[in-house]
Amino acid sequence: MTGRASRWLLRRNPGAKAAVRLYCFPHSGASPSEYMRWADRLPGIEVLGVQGPGRGGRIDEPPYDTMDTLVGALLDEVEFEGPFAFFGHSLGALTAYEVARALREHGRLQPDLLFVSAMGAPHLQPHTPPTHHLDDERFLRTVEAFGPLPADILEDPEMREIVVRLLRADARILDTYRHVPAPPLGLPVIALGGASDTETGFLPGWAEHTTHPLSTHVLPGDHFYLREQRAELLDIVRGHLGSRREPVQ
């Protein structure tokens, strides 16, 4: 296992010193590269993107389509370097939660904080009809209900096939996910969402998965509120992470 050099991790400044590391888990069909733009607004925090097969630089690799295989492979290959926190958006929030639980079960270092964005509590999932089995046209319509896909992707047959493969694998992860009851995490959980996103109504359920009082922040916007409200979101992240006296190497 490795933390610094891993095909699973995207990092902008590998040699930089930081007081804390923020491992970011992307939403369905996405690359973690979007999080790299956060680095300039988070001084003292090293931002790392969790890059699974089928995403970004690993686009040619077949993606995982069950939560258990995804989490198992990630723990096999990555040693999370402390102190650290997790941030996950949408499906990434559920993945980050399951990784935190797996780290605890294996007696490994756990995150100091868990940020869960635009995803209802695990025991409430899935609460929408399954979609991964639909034909491409109907499947893409369900995906674009959350936001349109770039036209250049849809018009390029090869790229469209790659994107649909990843989106369908991610959809199957959520469609087949079943929460296994376990003691709540002994770390703070910060739940975030957009005011007009239907998932926001399910955020209070995260209180069952932490021994700490749940902290909830609702910002203007929809399922992808974090793009339009980036500055406000990162202010919240900074506020919860706080400052540390000595940088980690």
Side-chain angles (χ1 to χ4, degrees):
M1 292 185 296
T2 181
R4 287 205 170 273
S6 172
R7 57 181 180 164
W8 282 87
L9 297 178
L10 189 64
R11 55 203 313 163
R12 185 171 172 182
N13 298 309
K17 294 181 180 180
V20 63
R21 296 185 173 93
L22 182 64
Y23 292 89
C24 298
F25 295 74
H27 61 272
S28 295
S31 160
S33 59
E34 181 172 357
Y35 295 118
M36 296 299 99
R37 295 194 289 270
W38 290 10
D40 292 338
R41 298 189 64 95
L42 294 174
I45 300 169
E46 184 182 12
V47 179
L48 300 99
V50 177
Q51 182 169 261
R55 303 175 191 275
R58 305 180 67 186
I59 197 170
D60 293 330
E61 299 177 46
Y64 291 106
D65 63 0
T66 68
M67 183 66 78
D68 288 347
T69 55
L70 173 60
V71 172
L74 181 56
L75 261 65
D76 282 346
E77 297 206 30
V78 176
E79 185 71 43
F80 295 98
E81 299 177 275
F84 66 94
F86 283 168
F87 181 100
H89 181 72
S90 195
L91 178 60
L94 202 59
T95 308
Y97 163 76
E98 288 294 340
V99 172
R101 284 211 333 182
L103 289 171
R104 179 180 66 182
E105 291 167 6
H106 287 81
R108 289 170 54 180
L109 189 64
Q110 297 173 59
D112 292 347
L113 295 167
L114 172 62
F115 295 93
V116 291
S117 171
M119 176 55 72
H123 66 284
L124 302 177
Q125 303 297 337
H127 54 251
T128 56
T131 62
H132 74 275
H133 63 286
L134 299 175
D135 64 69
D136 285 358
E137 294 303 323
R138 287 192 298 164
F139 177 69
L140 286 174
R141 283 200 297 271
T142 67
V143 171
E144 293 200 291
F146 293 96
L149 294 170
D152 57 339
I153 288 179
L154 297 178
E155 293 169 1
D156 182 325
E158 183 178 357
M159 184 58 66
R160 174 185 164 117
E161 181 180 354
I162 292 172
V163 169
V164 169
R165 179 184 67 172
L166 176 57
L167 285 166
R168 196 181 294 281
D170 284 349
R172 188 176 188 278
I173 291 176
L174 183 56
D175 289 346
T176 60
Y177 176 80
R178 298 295 181 271
H179 178 255
V180 177
L185 295 170
L187 53 91
V189 173
I190 299 90
L192 309 112
S196 62
D197 182 18
T198 56
E199 284 294 325
T200 299
F202 297 97
L203 292 180
W206 281 99
E208 296 189 21
H209 301 281
T210 173
T211 58
H212 295 248
L214 180 69
S215 180
T216 304
H217 301 270
V218 178
L219 300 175
D222 55 19
H223 193 67
F224 292 103
Y225 75 93
L226 76 173
R227 292 169 178 166
E228 294 182 357
Q229 308 298 329
R230 185 192 306 173
E232 291 78 1
L233 171 62
L234 296 185
D235 284 344
I236 293 169
V237 170
R238 276 197 308 271
H240 282 283
L241 287 176
S243 59
R244 295 182 178 271
R245 293 181 181 178
E246 297 294 333
V248 294
Q249 301 298 320

